[in-house]
């Protein structure tokens, strides 16, 4: 039997593939077009699900199934998990697969939020419904991830999201940024697969640090220009505690921890290895696995 099936290769899936390969763990991944030797498969984009549209015959039975794409509510979650289980119901297997679902920390608004914080449904929407279903009805594990980075996906490039001065003004009100490298995310998934809790559960996953988004953005001349204009306003000067850019205190000591993922790393007895540093090369190298 296959050890791991990755539904939706995507950004995280590539790191997971490299880790599983290095560990000698059998796996298969899906993509919508079947590129690079993956399984061609996709979840139907409809609210009217029917078994003949799922193409579950393309998906092999695996001990663990990792879902990397968002499920918009209970209906697609039920369709996917039940469809997969029903298709393999006649297979001689002693236990159902272990489900691992990747979610977001967007619904967590308490400061700080931990694995025991109740997600804000109004912020998370139907995705939270899918997460709760996977945990309660399928004993699955939900990993709520902070900002993913790695390779060409680096926070310095996120200045493109601040195309207007007002967007920067709003970011100054909360400069905290939480990150986790794709490789550490893969390590987290493997830890859960290797040491699953029979009852499932929810975990928040970050690299345990808190980054200052302004410290990252300020290297962009356009952002620096916006900030110089904003510093003409008294409210902004009070907000950043300075009259000039060079006098603004930046760094981890100046921002608030909003996502506390310490429970996860303590439970699984591992630590994040790939920490972000402004302007530094990506520390990940698959040859070191």
């Amino acid at each position: 039997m296959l050890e791991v099936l990755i539904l939706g290769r995507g950004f995280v899936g590539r790191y997971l593939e490299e880790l599983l390969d290095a560990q000698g763990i059998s796996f298969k991944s899906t993509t919508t077009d079947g590129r690079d030797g993956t399984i061609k498969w996709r979840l139907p984009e409809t609210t009217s699900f029917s078994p003949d549209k799922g193409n579950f015959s393309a998906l092999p039975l695996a001990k663990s199934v990792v879902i990397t794409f968002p499920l918009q509510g209970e209906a697609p979650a039920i369709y996917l998990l039940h469809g997969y289980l029903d298709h393999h119901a006649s297979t001689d297997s002693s236990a159902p697969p272990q489900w691992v679902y990747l979610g977001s920390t967007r619904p967590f608004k308490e400061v700080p939020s931990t694995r025991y914080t109740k997600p804000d449904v109004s912020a998370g929407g139907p995705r939270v419904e899918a997460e709760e279903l996977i945990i309660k009805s399928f004993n699955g594990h939900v990993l709520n991830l902070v900002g993913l980075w790695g390779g060409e996906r680096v926070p310095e490039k996120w200045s493109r999201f601040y195309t207007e001065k007002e967007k920067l003004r709003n970011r100054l009100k909360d400069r905290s940024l939480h990150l986790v490298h794709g490789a550490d995310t893969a390590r987290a998934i493997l830890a859960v697969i290797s040491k699953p809790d029979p009852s499932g559960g929810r975990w928040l996953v970050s690299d345990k640090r808190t980054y200052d988004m302004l410290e990252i953005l300020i290297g962009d001349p356009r952002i620096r220009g916006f900030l110089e204009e904003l510093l003409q306003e008294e409210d902004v000067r009070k907000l950043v505690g300075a009259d000039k850019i060079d006098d603004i205190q930046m760094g981890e000591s100046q921002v608030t921890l909003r996502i506390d993922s310490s429970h996860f790393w303590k439970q699984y007895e591992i630590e994040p290895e790939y920490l972000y540093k402004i302007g530094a090369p990506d520390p990940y190298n698959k040859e070191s696995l």
Side-chain angles (χ1 to χ4, degrees):
M1 182 191 301
L2 193 68
E3 292 288 335
V4 182
L5 175 62
I6 307 168
L7 296 182
R9 183 201 224 177
F11 178 78
V12 171
R14 292 180 181 275
Y15 287 101
L16 184 54
E17 285 180 340
E18 291 176 356
L19 180 59
L20 295 175
D21 186 57
Q23 297 286 329
I25 299 172
S26 62
F27 66 90
K28 286 288 185 181
S29 301
T30 72
T31 58
T32 57
D33 58 7
R35 63 187 177 277
D36 302 328
T38 57
I39 300 169
K40 184 178 180 179
W41 181 86
R42 71 185 308 159
L43 189 69
E45 297 180 1
T46 175
T47 56
S48 178
F49 297 113
S50 60
D52 62 325
K53 293 183 179 180
N55 191 24
F56 292 109
S57 62
L59 303 179
L61 181 63
K63 293 181 180 178
S64 298
V65 180
V66 181
I67 307 169
T68 71
F69 53 81
L71 295 170
Q72 301 292 344
E74 290 187 352
I78 291 172
Y79 175 77
L80 172 57
L81 276 67
H82 272 306
Y84 182 82
L85 293 173
D86 290 347
H87 176 73
H88 292 290
S90 61
T91 305
D92 184 17
S93 175
S94 59
Q98 176 67 53
W99 299 96
V100 179
Y101 177 73
L102 305 187
S104 163
T105 52
R106 186 184 301 274
F108 295 89
K109 299 302 181 183
E110 288 186 15
V111 180
S113 288
T114 72
R115 69 167 304 208
Y116 301 108
T117 301
K118 186 175 181 180
D120 184 341
V121 177
S122 64
R127 296 186 184 187
V128 175
E129 297 175 4
E131 293 174 5
E132 292 294 317
L133 178 87
I134 291 171
I135 294 171
K136 295 176 180 177
S137 299
F138 296 89
N139 297 327
H141 291 79
V142 172
L143 304 185
N144 292 102
L145 308 174
V146 296
L148 289 165
W149 79 283
E152 294 299 313
R153 188 169 177 166
V154 291
E156 287 97 326
K157 294 183 178 181
W158 297 348
S159 62
R160 69 182 186 276
F161 298 122
Y162 301 89
T163 56
E164 301 171 4
K165 186 168 60 176
E166 290 307 308
K167 292 182 178 180
L168 180 61
R169 183 200 303 277
N170 290 332
R171 195 65 169 102
L172 291 175
K173 297 173 184 177
D174 178 12
R175 289 155 44 185
S176 299
L177 175 67
H178 293 283
L179 298 170
V180 65
H181 196 285
D184 276 327
T185 304
R187 293 175 61 241
I189 295 169
L190 181 57
V192 170
I193 290 172
S194 303
K195 187 182 174 182
D197 183 335
S199 60
R202 180 189 298 280
W203 300 94
L204 306 190
V205 181
S206 75
D207 66 9
K208 300 201 298 184
R209 291 190 59 189
T210 308
Y211 300 88
D212 186 342
M213 192 63 184
L214 182 58
E215 186 179 27
I216 297 169
L217 294 175
I218 201 64
D220 186 317
R222 180 174 53 82
I223 298 296
R224 194 177 183 91
F226 284 159
L227 185 56
E228 287 178 344
E229 293 179 24
L230 288 170
L231 283 173
Q232 303 302 313
E233 304 174 21
E234 183 178 358
D235 289 346
V236 174
R237 293 195 296 272
K238 288 182 178 179
L239 189 62
V240 299
D243 295 336
K244 299 184 298 181
I245 291 179
D246 291 342
D247 293 336
I248 299 175
Q249 297 296 308
M250 301 183 198
E252 189 166 6
S253 63
Q254 303 301 311
V255 290
T256 302
L257 174 70
R258 294 191 171 276
I259 300 295
D260 180 358
S261 64
S262 58
H263 291 102
F264 176 84
W265 302 103
K266 182 177 181 180
Q267 172 68 22
Y268 289 98
E269 300 179 313
I270 58 174
E271 289 292 327
E273 293 184 352
Y274 306 101
L275 303 180
Y276 171 70
K277 186 176 180 180
I278 299 173
D282 185 340
Y284 172 73
N285 181 348
K286 73 176 182 178
E287 300 303 323
S288 65
L289 292 175

